[in-house]
Amino acid sequence: MEVKKDQHTSPPSEMIPIVDLSNPDEELVSRAVVKASQEWGIFHVVNHGISMDLIRRLKEVGSQFFELPETEKKAVAKPDDSQDFEGYTRNLKYTEGEVWAENLFHRILPQSCINYKYWPRNPPQYREVTEEYTKETKKLSERLLGFLSEGLGLRHEALKEGLGGEKSEYVLRINNFPPNPQPDATLGLPEHTDIVALALIVTNEVPGLQVFHEDHWFDVQYVPSSITVTVGDQILRLSNGKYKNVLHRVTVDKEKQRMSWPVFVDANPDVVIRPLPELITGDNPSMFKPIVCKDFKYRRLFKLPVD
Ligand code: OGA
Ligand code: NI
């Protein structure tokens, strides 16, 4: 896995779209979200309604967790025999071509799916801050899903319902990418599309996210106080290909530590992922076969073909 810097020719004039969610003209906001999701599959939202103080506290508790000694972080480790993704994992052995990251993953919604054993007890405010952030991200993601539904000519709730309504799952991931002495030989995250519906990402000030757009890798600029939204595979499929699942990766820095906090909005595992039936007409035939969400994710994780 080599980071091909030569491929990387992003013209400075081309930037990832920035959508101001506080604009009182909802129609305009909705159209901007729809356009960015069709053309890029990624955009920043600013004035998104989540308080900067809450985001600061989210970053603080996550950073404090990663600063703990290894033995304490292992208290929430992903068990070796686990078939699920939840828990703390670490891949920081220096081997060329390996990924370079520590991660913590756990569900945050719905309440019935939460395994608190994967939520750090230290720092002690972790749970309270994460619960507060969860409420806010749910509101924001539902607003975005509403815009995207309207962009398909459907009711505001159409995509949310297609993902399982209140039974859709939300997952927090915290990525820690420490400085790496040979940044060209490794990646923090190899290129991928997110297998979920949407990701809402907060980062520290160190850039590193790159997206593939019109045959080039683009650096995603750090926009202070923004949340970066990526469109994943499930929205591609539910929208019958109208919205784009963006291919992206994360590079590492020689001197600086990068951290990111994506919240993934994921369909309920038992939901059938399929283009919303109202979209399918003679002129617009279905581009994807229906597949149960948990089978879809299993096949994508193990790199098996999916129709
Ligand atoms: C991810 C991801 C982006 C980032 O965790 O899937 O793409 O900026 N993260 O760290
Ligand atoms: Ni991703």
Side-chain angles (χ1 to χ4, degrees):
M1 177 177 54
E2 196 192 338
V3 186
K4 294 205 187 80
K5 292 267 152 89
D6 52 324
Q7 252 188 326
H8 170 253
T9 54
S10 56
S13 57
E14 279 244 52
M15 306 256 274
I16 277 78
I18 300 178
V19 183
D20 182 349
L21 293 182
S22 69
N23 191 314
D25 187 344
E26 281 273 300
E27 277 280 305
L28 190 116
V29 176
S30 178
R31 278 203 303 275
V33 166
V34 166
K35 184 165 190 281
S37 304
Q38 278 181 281
E39 292 177 1
W40 284 84
I42 183 168
F43 51 97
H44 298 290
V45 292
V46 294
N47 301 321
H48 39 65
I50 304 187
S51 93
M52 286 327 292
D53 184 61
L54 177 56
I55 292 180
R56 183 191 57 73
R57 285 185 286 135
L58 177 83
K59 291 180 177 177
E60 189 174 74
V61 293
S63 308
Q64 285 169 351
F65 169 74
F66 280 102
E67 280 159 19
L68 293 174
E70 198 49 29
T71 46
E72 283 202 52
K73 286 188 276 196
K74 287 211 169 122
V76 292
K78 173 169 140 25
D80 286 337
D81 58 355
S82 164
Q83 301 295 312
D84 198 59
F85 54 81
E86 285 188 295
Y88 165 75
T89 52
R90 171 185 171 92
N91 195 341
L92 296 176
K93 284 195 284 299
Y94 190 74
T95 318
E96 189 141 331
E98 283 286 328
V99 300
W100 180 263
E102 275 182 300
N103 322 83
L104 175 67
F105 243 127
H106 60 71
R107 290 186 176 81
I108 52 179
L109 275 177
Q111 193 64 35
S112 58
C113 294
I114 294 180
N115 286 312
Y116 284 110
K117 65 177 177 191
Y118 297 117
W119 289 45
R121 283 175 189 276
N122 194 2
Q125 323 82 292
Y126 184 92
R127 177 163 165 178
E128 183 194 325
V129 173
T130 303
E131 284 175 346
E132 204 181 322
Y133 188 66
T134 300
K135 282 198 204 113
E136 297 298 316
T137 31
K138 179 168 190 278
K139 274 192 251 165
L140 176 56
S141 93
E142 289 181 351
R143 190 167 173 218
L144 296 171
L145 288 171
F147 292 146
L148 294 175
S149 302
E150 286 162 3
L152 296 167
L154 303 176
R155 289 172 303 115
H156 196 83
E157 294 74 28
L159 283 168
K160 176 181 171 183
E161 287 169 8
L163 297 169
E166 290 297 312
K167 290 193 175 130
S168 62
E169 295 191 355
Y170 284 64
V171 181
L172 173 66
R173 183 183 202 184
I174 310 180
N175 297 309
N176 182 29
F177 309 106
N180 184 299
Q182 277 184 270
D184 287 345
T186 191
L187 282 167
L189 278 174
E191 62 182 56
H192 65 282
T193 59
D194 295 326
I195 59 181
V196 296
L198 293 178
L200 273 52
I201 313 169
V202 162
T203 72
N204 72 352
E205 71 292 351
V206 180
L209 180 59
Q210 296 184 330
V211 297
F212 198 68
H213 176 73
E214 292 176 351
D215 283 336
H216 296 295
W217 283 102
F218 284 78
D219 290 319
V220 176
Q221 69 275 27
Y222 170 67
V223 177
S225 75
S226 77
I227 291 181
T228 310
V229 181
T230 55
V231 174
D233 300 347
Q234 295 172 6
I235 293 294
L236 169 83
R237 288 179 166 253
L238 266 67
S239 70
N240 202 32
K242 173 158 171 155
Y243 300 127
K244 205 160 167 177
N245 56 346
V246 68
L247 185 67
H248 56 285
R249 65 185 184 189
V250 177
T251 60
V252 289
D253 193 274
K254 199 170 177 157
E255 274 136 30
K256 297 188 192 120
Q257 173 194 31
R258 179 168 195 276
M259 286 191 76
S260 62
W261 287 257
V263 167
F264 297 107
V265 183
D266 193 2
N268 179 274
D270 296 319
V271 154
V272 179
I273 301 292
R274 67 167 94 211
L276 295 173
E278 306 90 307
L279 300 176
I280 304 308
T281 59
D283 294 339
N284 188 22
S286 174
M287 290 171 60
F288 305 98
K289 282 210 182 126
I291 180 167
V292 176
C293 176
K294 55 180 176 245
D295 299 339
F296 172 70
K297 286 171 59 183
Y298 178 87
R299 297 188 71 83
R300 288 277 282 106
L301 283 175
F302 292 97
K303 300 191 167 38
L304 301 167
V306 192
D307 294 329

